[in-house]
Amino acid sequence: MAVMTVVSGVGLLADDRILAGAAIWAKPFKFAISFVVYALGLAWMLTLVTRGRRTGWWAGTVVALTGLAEMVIITGQVVRGKRSHFNVATHLDALLFRIMGVSVAFLWAAMLLIAILLLRARIADRASAAAIRAGVFLALAGAGLGFLMTLPTPGQRAADRHGTADVIGAHTVGAPDGGPSMPLTGWSTTGGDLRIPHFVGMHALQVLPLFLLALAALATHVPRLRDPRVRLRLVLVASGAYAALIALVLWQALRGQPLIHPDGATLACAALTALSTAAGAYAALRRPPRTDAARPGSGTPDRAAEAVPSGR
């Protein structure tokens, strides 16, 4: 995938063809970068598996091979000047799209197996275990959301009944694919885009562990973060917030609403999510109340007092 990032980057510079409203090499370029990030996170997580390591190795190999199969088809269709996704214009195009669908199903099943192995893994640090497991399961949910893009639109169903459909499925809701889009991501600016929740969900695999690493780095300057219980609570808050974000952008896309043009309902839900996250973070950072046994004059000295020399 790292090699394909370079190859497709050269293609973006050297090939000026446009397909479905975007540079023809944009799709393999974005997929290659996404797979690089995804594979690095997954490879690290596989090192944490303590039970069924050989099963984990095979599951990781399935992820690698299915990702490779998808990239081969995407790149081959680019060379032919054809769409890779949703293309049923010819028997060959339809066959390639079906192969991609099967490969994604195998990839998802392998990820589910890895998630189960991580659930059974003995990870000493509870915050690390929570970040890794939440990241894997949210990534599974995000990958599963890709299925929504394969469903035909009403117009496509009508064309399919008459045998005239060239495309089955779409990533844009409420507007045709290939319309005005955001720079770099290519997400629609005129309708909802199902690629957004798919992307956000899949990359929980990296975001939540990176969040935990950031907490560990800040702990050198923020003593409160040195408490493993505090880090665990913050990871749980972040996981809930990330799940809410996936649900929010999915809801927005299904209503045919562009990401950059939210309505009042979307803004209200976003504000509620932000406030809930802030309240959860505040509660996670609060110091627990001292127990009666640890209070001065309670008859039982606390540990800090025990550590102070008596002066005798």
Side-chain angles (χ1 to χ4, degrees), residues 3 58 102 123 195 235 241:
V3 171
W58 278 108
V102 172
I123 301 173
R195 291 174 295 182
V235 166

Side-chain angles (χ1 to χ4, degrees), residues 23-255:
I24 199 167
W25 283 95
K27 177 168 284 187
F29 181 74
K30 290 187 290 186
F31 266 68
I33 290 177
S34 182
F35 268 125
V36 165
V37 177
Y38 192 80
L40 286 173
L42 188 62
W44 170 67
M45 288 183 179
L46 281 170
T47 66
L48 305 175
V49 172
T50 55
R51 300 178 182 176
R53 294 180 68 90
R54 186 167 182 80
T55 302
W57 184 91
W58 278 108
T61 302
V62 169
V63 171
L65 292 176
T66 52
L68 176 63
E70 185 149 344
M71 281 301 297
V72 167
I73 293 174
I74 291 172
T75 307
Q77 289 292 74
V78 165
V79 172
R80 296 178 65 227
K82 305 288 186 180
R83 291 182 60 156
S84 54
H85 289 73
F86 319 129
N87 188 357
V88 294
T90 67
H91 291 300
L92 176 59
D93 294 325
L95 174 62
L96 292 174
F97 183 44
R98 282 196 294 271
I99 292 173
M100 291 176 68
V102 172
S103 69
V104 169
F106 274 103
L107 185 149
W108 193 91
M111 280 296 303
L112 176 61
L113 180 56
I114 292 170
I116 293 171
L117 291 174
L118 286 170
L119 271 179
R120 300 176 64 230
R122 295 173 180 171
I123 301 173
D125 183 57
R126 294 174 64 197
S128 298
I132 291 164
R133 290 163 182 167
V136 170
F137 279 103
L138 288 175
L140 272 171
L145 292 176
F147 171 76
L148 296 175
M149 290 182 269
T150 66
L151 301 177
T153 65
Q156 291 170 353
R157 288 195 193 97
D160 189 43
R161 284 195 295 269
H162 293 88
T164 59
D166 291 336
V167 174
I168 296 293
H171 50 70
T172 307
V173 179
D177 284 353
S181 61
M182 297 169 60
L184 188 61
T185 62
W187 296 336
S188 175
T189 57
T190 57
D193 201 315
L194 293 169
R195 291 174 295 182
I196 299 172
H198 179 59
F199 174 87
V200 173
M202 286 193 67
H203 289 289
L205 192 74
Q206 296 83 38
V207 173
L208 292 177
L210 285 174
F211 173 74
L212 178 62
L213 290 175
L215 291 181
L218 288 171
T220 59
H221 305 288
V222 183
R224 192 76 188 100
L225 295 179
R226 296 171 193 166
D227 188 339
R229 296 169 300 176
V230 171
R231 293 197 300 273
L232 173 61
R233 291 196 292 264
L234 287 173
V235 166
L236 294 176
V237 170
S239 300
Y242 203 91
L245 175 63
I246 297 171
L248 179 61
V249 294
L250 173 62
W251 181 55
Q252 186 180 16
L254 290 173
R255 290 185 295 136

